[in-house]
């Protein structure tokens, strides 16, 4: 057994194969949902798990608003593309994954050694701040989906909504901007579409 094989064979260096199935291989984008609630405690658990994922200089710009109540759903529904309305209204919860352009105000807590110099750079370069916020929030959105699946939920991440309308409706008076949505709940497995192809290693990767 090679050194690499020995490393991968050690159980303390990897989660179980069954867990990998749950998070990746068997996980599917859900569009139909069982009538089972997603509790606030479970939503909190998703965030508590995903928040440990790395971001650039630990800026952690992602912000999450969970649309659960009938009143909140009514605010979101007209801002969705028609093709996304039925599945989103049926989902027990919908996360609005967003990013805060004003993330610099949390730097003294999150990145104290870099807060002063990074804050000055961001203040003079708003486009750099936007790029950093979107890039790290995209990472955090990916962690969010993985955390939700790891905790037993199904996910339906999607675009197909009025970003400007969502920002006005849910984030007015802030520098928070919507990125994408993710329906959450317990899906109907028989409703999934056939698995789409993925690129093989040789098509997408090079070892240099």
């Amino acid at each position: 057994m090679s050194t690499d094989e020995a490393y991968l064979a050690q159980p303390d260096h990897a989660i179980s194969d069954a867990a990998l199935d749950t998070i990746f291989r068997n996980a599917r984008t859900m569009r139909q949902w069982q009538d089972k609630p997603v509790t606030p405690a479970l939503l909190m658990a998703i965030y508590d798990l995903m928040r440990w994922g790395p971001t650039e200089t630990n800026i952690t710009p992602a912000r999450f608003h969970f649309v659960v109540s009938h009143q909140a759903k009514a605010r979101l529904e007209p801002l969705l593309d028609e093709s996304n309305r039925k599945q989103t209204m049926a989902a027990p919860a919908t996360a609005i994954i967003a990013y805060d352009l004003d993330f610099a105000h949390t730097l003294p807590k999150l990145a104290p050694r870099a807060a002063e110099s990074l804050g000055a750079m961001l203040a003079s370069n708003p486009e750099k701040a936007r790029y950093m916020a979107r890039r790290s929030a995209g990472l955090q959105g990916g962690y969010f989906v993985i955390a939700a699946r790891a905790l037993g939920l199904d996910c339906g991440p999607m675009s197909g909504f009025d970003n400007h309308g969502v920002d006005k409706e849910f984030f007015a008076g802030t520098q928070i901007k919507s990125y994408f949505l993710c329906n959450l709940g317990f899906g109907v497995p028989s409703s999934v579409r056939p698995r789409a192809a993925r690129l093989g290693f040789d098509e997408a990767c090079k070892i240099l």
Side-chain angles (χ1 to χ4, degrees), residues 94-176:
T94 300
I96 305 174
I97 290 92
Y99 55 93
D100 190 357
L101 293 175
D102 191 28
F103 66 86
H105 79 278
T106 59
L107 291 177
K109 175 180 180 177
L110 300 175
R113 288 178 294 182
E116 185 174 351
S117 59
L118 183 56
M121 183 273 289
L122 296 173
S124 65
N125 193 341
E127 284 305 308
K128 176 69 171 179
R130 179 180 294 274
Y131 180 74
M132 289 178 64
R134 284 180 59 86
R135 178 168 57 192
S136 284
L139 286 172
Q140 290 186 279
Y143 305 147
F144 181 91
V145 171
I146 292 172
R149 288 173 169 177
L151 292 169
L153 288 173
D154 292 305
C155 298
M158 60 186 179
S159 53
F161 66 99
D162 179 355
N163 285 84
H164 294 296
V166 166
D167 294 348
K168 182 178 180 180
E169 181 65 33
F170 291 92
F171 304 124
T174 75
Q175 288 295 304
I176 299 174

Side-chain angles (χ1 to χ4, degrees), residues 14-172:
I15 61 177
S16 70
D17 209 47
L20 293 173
D21 284 343
T22 296
I23 297 171
F24 293 106
R25 301 186 190 105
N26 295 337
R28 305 296 301 278
T29 295
M30 288 290 172
R31 295 176 176 84
Q32 293 186 27
W33 305 94
Q34 301 177 47
D35 186 18
K36 294 173 61 177
V38 174
T39 64
L42 189 48
L43 297 176
M44 293 171 68
I46 297 171
Y47 179 76
D48 192 55
L49 184 60
M50 62 73 54
R51 69 190 176 117
W52 300 111
T55 58
E56 184 175 2
T57 321
N58 200 39
I59 62 174
T60 59
R63 303 292 182 263
F64 304 87
H65 281 206
F66 295 101
V67 177
V68 177
S69 69
H70 292 300
Q71 295 88 342
K73 284 177 175 284
R75 294 165 61 195
L76 180 61
E77 183 174 12
L79 303 172
L80 299 167
D81 288 1
E82 183 63 35
S83 60
N84 286 332
R85 288 182 184 175
K86 183 177 180 180
Q87 60 176 308
T88 303
M89 292 302 101
T94 300
I96 305 174
I97 290 92
Y99 55 93
D100 190 357
L101 293 175
D102 191 28
F103 66 86
H105 79 278
T106 59
L107 291 177
K109 175 180 180 177
L110 300 175
R113 288 178 294 182
E116 185 174 351
S117 59
L118 183 56
M121 183 273 289
L122 296 173
S124 65
N125 193 341
E127 284 305 308
K128 176 69 171 179
R130 179 180 294 274
Y131 180 74
M132 289 178 64
R134 284 180 59 86
R135 178 168 57 192
S136 284
L139 286 172
Q140 290 186 279
Y143 305 147
F144 181 91
V145 171
I146 292 172
R149 288 173 169 177
L151 292 169
L153 288 173
D154 292 305
C155 298
M158 60 186 179
S159 53
F161 66 99
D162 179 355
N163 285 84
H164 294 296
V166 166
D167 294 348
K168 182 178 180 180
E169 181 65 33
F170 291 92
F171 304 124

Side-chain angles (χ1 to χ4, degrees), residues 193-206:
R193 299 172 181 174
R195 170 75 82 178
R198 299 294 193 271
L199 295 178
F201 184 91
D202 291 340
E203 297 174 285
C205 310
K206 289 185 178 181

